[in-house]
């Protein structure tokens, strides 16, 4: 995933859902940081009507743009066969521009996202799928040190186990975005990477399909990440993340292994915090050993020892009233796949369930309503006005906004969990 603006990414990734707790800092590695909720919305690969939603003359301009880009790539040394395959039938997709410009107003709470992402059905299907592809999953696991349950959980969340990974040709989507999207330079770089994939002979234009935002195949690799991490595990000479489960499992595991996954370590565990815990310490940047957390009174739910981390952090995805987790380096490796706590938690919990472990035991604060995008903007404006700097108001709950919320909460004598509620917004706006 690219390091990109989270709002764009959230939409780019999936059309429907934006999550309450996207972590906006850091650099997303593979895909847009705001996690997916529902499977990708399938889109007709070849929309017929020129229901142009972009600027007037978009389609004519597109043809010229393609001609220029093609010439540039030819000059850069891309072979004629690859250029013909990629661009002879390239399509401008108005729907891609429409989705790229959509600004979701409502934010899905983490518990609502997890209800879908780790549903009983998702667990049951995952166990069946895992049994079916056991050999491929175990081989990838042995080679890269990432448990089969984690790889299969990513597959389950990215594409509902391959049942829905989108049918938009990546070349069409990326060419449209490079021509008229909100992040043209990024799309141009991905388009160049996609051309290299075609030139390598891994796949052709027609079969190189995925989401409208260019994420491809069963576990939704962007072309640049395909070039870095995709693996030909079945030895047929092609890296095939669409049709070969051996390649899908190995490529996904390779991504995580290259993102800091540590063999033999769990992702983390749900924990109980001691009375009087300082909630401002529940922050991904406050890392210390499990021994230190234990000395402060942090405990697992079942009384077993905490997982052993040299640098674990406490995660409170729904604020002080919700469940707490102790997370380690492998959780952070999952964040590199998609930089959203909702996403990383869903992968972690789904893998835990696939392996017969428990779900979340502490109840979620389901009575809380997450702030809408405009409300977050209002919150940021109010915080800034009162001297709690939250950066440029963008409607997104990033680290700066959370830190500002914490500072405000602390000075107002409230629990400093950095989790904004409507009540807090009203309090901030009160004259
Ligand atoms: Ca292969």
């Amino acid at each position: 995933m690219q390091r990109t603006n989270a709002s764009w990414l959230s939409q780019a990734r999936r059309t429907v859902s934006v999550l309450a707790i996207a972590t906006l800092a850091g650099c997303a590695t593979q895909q847009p940081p705001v996690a997916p909720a529902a499977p990708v919305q399938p889109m007709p690969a070849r929309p017929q009507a020129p229901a142009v939603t972009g600027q007037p003359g978009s389609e004519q301009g597109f043809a010229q743009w393609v001609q220029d880009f093609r010439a540039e790539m030819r000059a850069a040394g891309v072979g004629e066969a690859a250029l013909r395959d990629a661009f002879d039938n390239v399509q401008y997709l108005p729907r891609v521009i429409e989705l790229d410009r959509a600004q979701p107003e409502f934010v899905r709470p983490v518990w609502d996202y997890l209800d879908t992402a780790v549903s009983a059905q998702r667990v049951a299907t995952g166990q069946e799928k895992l049994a079916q592809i056991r050999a491929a999953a175990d081989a990838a696991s042995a080679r890269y040190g990432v448990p089969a349950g984690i790889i299969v959980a990513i597959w389950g969340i990215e594409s509902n186990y391959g049942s829905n990974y989108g049918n938009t040709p990546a070349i069409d989507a990326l060419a449209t975005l490079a021509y008229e999207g909100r992040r043209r330079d990024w799309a141009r770089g991905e388009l160049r990477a996609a051309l290299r994939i075609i030139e390598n002979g891994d796949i052709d234009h027609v079969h190189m399909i995925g989401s409208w935002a260019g994420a491809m195949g069963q576990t939704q690799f962007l072309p640049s990440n395909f070039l870095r991490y995709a693996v030909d595990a079945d030895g047929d000479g092609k890296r095939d993340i669409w049709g070969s489960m051996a390649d899908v499992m190995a490529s996904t595991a390779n991504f995580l292994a290259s993102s800091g996954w540590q063999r033999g370590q769990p992702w983390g565990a749900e924990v109980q915090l001691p009375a009087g815990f300082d909630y401002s310490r529940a922050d991904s940047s406050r890392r210390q050993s499990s021994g230190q957390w234990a000395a402060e009174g942090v405990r697992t739910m079942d009384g077993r020892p905490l997982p052993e981390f040299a640098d674990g952090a406490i995660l409170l995805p729904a604020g002080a009233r919700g469940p707490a987790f102790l997370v380690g380096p492998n959780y952070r490796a999952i964040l590199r796949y998609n930089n959203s706590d909702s996403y990383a938690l869903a992968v972690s919990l789904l893998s835990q369930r696939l392996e017969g472990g428990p779900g979340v035991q502490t109840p979620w604060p389901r009575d809380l309503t997450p702030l809408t995008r405009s409300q977050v903007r209002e919150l940021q404006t109010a915080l800034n006005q009162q001297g709690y700097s939250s950066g440029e108001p963008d409607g997104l709950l990033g680290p700066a906004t959370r830190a500002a919320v914490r500072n405000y909460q602390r000075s107002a004598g409230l629990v400093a969990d950095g989790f904004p509620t409507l009540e807090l917004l009203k309090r901030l706006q009160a004259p």
Side-chain angles (χ1 to χ4, degrees):
M1 178 143 318
Q2 311 61 51
R3 297 57 240 286
T4 28
N5 169 294
S7 74
W8 184 88
L9 287 173
S10 67
Q11 300 150 34
R13 192 59 189 288
R14 297 293 192 274
T15 59
V16 227
S17 58
V18 178
L19 295 167
I21 50 165
T23 23
L24 308 179
C27 321
T29 49
Q30 158 150 42
Q31 277 129 84
V34 178
V40 183
Q41 291 284 307
M43 208 173 56
R46 303 283 176 198
Q48 298 160 355
V52 179
T53 53
Q55 276 120 40
S58 285
E59 302 215 60
Q60 293 83 338
F62 181 69
Q64 183 61 52
W65 184 91
V66 168
Q67 203 179 319
D68 294 347
F69 185 78
R70 195 168 167 157
E72 189 187 320
M73 291 299 101
R74 189 180 291 116
V78 178
E80 206 49 48
L83 290 173
R84 271 202 306 276
D85 180 42
F87 295 125
D88 276 2
N89 295 302
V90 66
Q91 301 275 317
Y92 172 77
L93 303 178
R95 177 79 179 136
V96 165
I97 296 302
E98 199 177 300
L99 293 166
D100 185 42
R101 292 183 186 166
Q103 299 268 332
E105 171 67 3
F106 294 96
V107 174
R108 208 172 162 196
V110 58
W111 50 88
D112 191 36
Y113 172 72
L114 291 174
D115 286 348
T116 313
V118 195
S119 65
Q121 180 66 55
R122 185 62 68 72
V123 173
T125 307
Q127 282 163 340
E128 279 167 37
K129 295 284 180 182
L130 183 54
Q132 286 164 18
I133 59 152
R134 194 81 231 188
D138 284 351
S141 178
R143 184 167 166 189
Y144 297 102
V146 180
I150 290 280
I151 314 171
V152 169
I154 287 186
W155 181 40
I157 288 168
E158 292 295 340
S159 67
N160 199 16
Y161 308 109
S163 68
N164 193 354
Y165 54 80
N167 57 5
T168 304
I171 293 282
D172 295 0
L174 291 167
T176 300
L177 290 168
Y179 164 60
E180 211 178 36
R182 291 201 280 151
R183 296 171 54 252
R184 295 175 199 182
D185 289 344
W186 168 82
R188 207 179 166 88
E190 291 298 331
L191 182 57
R192 235 182 256 127
L195 265 180
R196 282 186 56 200
I197 296 168
I198 289 181
E199 190 159 42
N200 290 342
D202 289 305
I203 191 97
D204 61 25
H205 180 163
V206 173
H207 298 97
M208 189 166 57
I209 55 174
S211 78
W212 67 267
M216 315 183 299
Q218 308 244 353
T219 51
Q220 301 280 281
F221 271 39
L222 284 167
S224 57
N225 284 320
F226 181 102
L227 291 177
R228 278 183 213 116
Y229 306 117
V231 176
D232 172 25
D234 62 12
D236 71 347
K238 293 177 194 299
R239 295 173 290 179
D240 180 1
I241 58 168
W242 297 266
S244 160
M245 285 318 297
D247 291 8
V248 169
M249 293 289 116
S251 301
T252 307
N254 184 31
F255 188 115
L256 290 172
S258 306
S259 303
W261 188 276
Q262 298 190 10
R263 190 185 284 263
Q265 274 203 8
W267 61 272
E270 185 179 352
V271 292
Q272 314 176 56
L273 301 175
F277 182 79
D278 172 6
Y279 287 95
S280 69
R281 287 163 52 70
D283 185 281
S284 59
S285 64
R286 299 285 190 114
R287 296 179 195 168
Q288 61 182 16
S289 71
S290 297
Q292 285 169 294
W293 287 119
E296 289 182 30
V298 175
R299 299 280 180 265
T300 55
M301 304 304 283
D302 58 11
R304 282 191 286 186
L306 295 174
E308 275 192 40
F309 299 134
D311 56 351
I314 301 292
L315 172 72
L316 282 176
R321 284 179 49 208
F325 304 88
L326 174 66
V327 295
N330 289 346
Y331 178 86
R332 296 193 287 272
I334 302 170
L335 283 176
R336 307 260 311 166
Y337 207 92
N338 190 340
N339 195 10
S340 150
D341 279 316
S342 289
Y343 175 85
L345 205 49
V347 168
S348 302
L349 293 166
L350 180 54
S351 74
Q352 187 166 295
R353 297 286 313 278
L354 290 176
E355 285 156 3
V360 179
Q361 293 167 58
T362 305
W364 293 100
R366 290 176 185 269
D367 56 304
L368 293 180
T369 310
L371 302 184
T372 64
R373 202 180 162 100
S374 353
Q375 285 167 340
V376 172
R377 221 176 275 120
E378 287 175 40
L379 174 85
Q380 291 166 324
T381 306
L383 286 166
N384 289 344
Q385 278 167 358
Q386 297 188 31
Y388 304 95
S389 174
S390 65
E392 182 69 23
D394 59 2
L396 299 168
L397 277 176
T401 304
R402 291 204 179 275
V405 169
R406 279 204 179 96
N407 289 338
Y408 170 74
Q409 287 172 322
R410 207 177 285 118
S411 67
L414 303 167
V415 173
D417 63 359
F419 189 79
T421 57
L422 206 50
E423 198 185 354
L424 188 90
L425 175 61
K426 283 184 188 144
R427 190 179 170 131
L428 259 164
Q429 288 174 327

